Amino acid sequence: MSKELSNEDREIILNSIRDIPDFPKKGIIFKDITTLLNNPKAFKTLMNHLEDRYKEYNLDYIAGIDARGFIFGSILADRLGIGFVPVRKKGKLPYTTVAQKYSLEYGFDEVEIHIDAFRGEKGARVLLIDDLIATGGTAKAGVELINQVEANCVECCFIAELTFLNGKDGIDSPVYSVLKF
Ligand code: AMP
C-alpha cells in the first residue's frame, strides 16, 4: 500500500516552498518551488515520499508537464525504473503530436504530446505530474492527451494544490496532492 507522508516530512517540504505575491500578475500568489529544489533535505524528502507512494502502482510511464513537472517527473521515473514523457507547450516537440488547448489561472495555452509518446502501448499505466494544480486546466488537458494516444492516466500528482480553486473537480483521473493550500 502507498505510504502516508509524516507530519514532520510534510513540514520540511511545506517550509521549503515560498510565496511570491503578485507574480506573474497582481492578485496571484505564486508558489515558488525553486527554494525546494535548492534545499537538498526537502527535495530528497519529497522524492522519497513520491517513490514510496508510487512504487506499488505498477506504473509504465510518468508524464511530466512543462516545465516544472519535468523535474519531479523525470527523477521519479528514474527511481521507479520506468520511462518519462514530456507534455510540452505548443511548438516544442519535433515529431507528430496531438494537442489540447486549456485555460490557466492567468491566461491561455496549449500543450502537446508526441503521438508515439507511450511507444504505442495501448492502456499503458501513466502517472501525470506537475508542481501545482490551480484551476486544473493544464492537468485536464494533460489527461486528455494521454487518453487521446490510448494510454491510461491512473493518477495525477501535484506537489501543491490550491484547493479553493477546485481544480481537481474537472479531472477524470484520481488526484493526489502532497500539500494543500
Ligand atoms: P492551472 O491550469 O490553473 O491548474 O495552472 C497550473 C499550472 O500553472 C502549473 O503548471 C503551475 O506550475 C502553474 N501555476 C498556476 N498558478 C500557480 C501559482 N499560484 N503558483 C505557482 N504556479 C502556478
Side-chain angles (χ1 to χ4, degrees):
M1 286 307 287
S2 52
K3 290 187 190 144
E4 297 293 322
L5 185 65
S6 70
N7 286 338
E8 190 189 343
D9 285 353
R10 177 173 285 103
E11 284 299 308
I12 290 168
I13 299 166
L14 182 64
N15 292 333
S16 73
I17 296 175
R18 72 180 161 191
D19 284 356
I20 309 289
D22 300 323
F23 182 89
K25 67 180 197 189
K26 206 163 174 43
I28 303 290
I29 298 174
F30 195 86
K31 296 286 177 193
D32 180 14
I33 52 97
T34 64
T35 44
L36 185 164
L37 301 176
N38 72 9
N39 177 330
K41 186 175 179 192
F43 199 5
K44 193 169 284 294
T45 299
L46 172 69
M47 293 315 306
N48 285 346
H49 168 59
L50 295 180
E51 182 181 358
D52 272 354
R53 178 178 175 82
Y54 288 111
K55 68 186 174 195
E56 311 295 343
Y57 269 59
N58 202 19
L59 297 169
D60 297 310
Y61 294 91
I62 309 282
I65 297 180
D66 201 341
R68 293 181 289 272
F70 295 172
I71 302 166
F72 305 107
S74 55
I75 294 170
L76 183 59
D78 185 61
R79 282 190 177 207
L80 297 176
I82 59 178
F84 175 78
V85 170
V87 176
R88 295 221 64 179
K89 297 280 168 62
K90 191 178 168 57
K92 302 286 185 185
L93 287 171
Y95 187 58
T96 311
T97 61
V98 290
Q100 193 73 46
K101 283 204 171 68
Y102 65 99
S103 57
L104 273 175
E105 191 186 10
Y106 41 80
F108 290 89
D109 225 328
E110 192 167 349
V111 279
E112 292 183 320
I113 203 170
H114 272 151
I115 196 153
D116 60 353
F118 305 107
R119 304 167 61 159
E121 294 168 27
K122 286 194 176 137
R125 291 173 60 78
V126 180
L127 176 75
L128 181 68
I129 191 163
D130 200 1
D131 66 328
L132 182 137
I133 178 168
T135 66
T138 317
K140 185 168 191 280
V143 172
E144 281 164 7
L145 289 179
I146 292 165
N147 292 337
Q148 272 179 54
V149 294
E150 297 184 273
N152 173 20
C153 183
V154 296
E155 188 157 284
C156 299
C157 174
F158 306 95
I159 314 312
E161 176 181 346
L162 305 183
T163 54
F164 54 93
L165 291 169
N166 300 315
K168 71 176 178 188
D169 293 355
I171 299 174
D172 287 337
S173 301
V175 169
Y176 172 68
S177 308
V178 178
L179 306 172
K180 293 180 199 292
F181 294 95

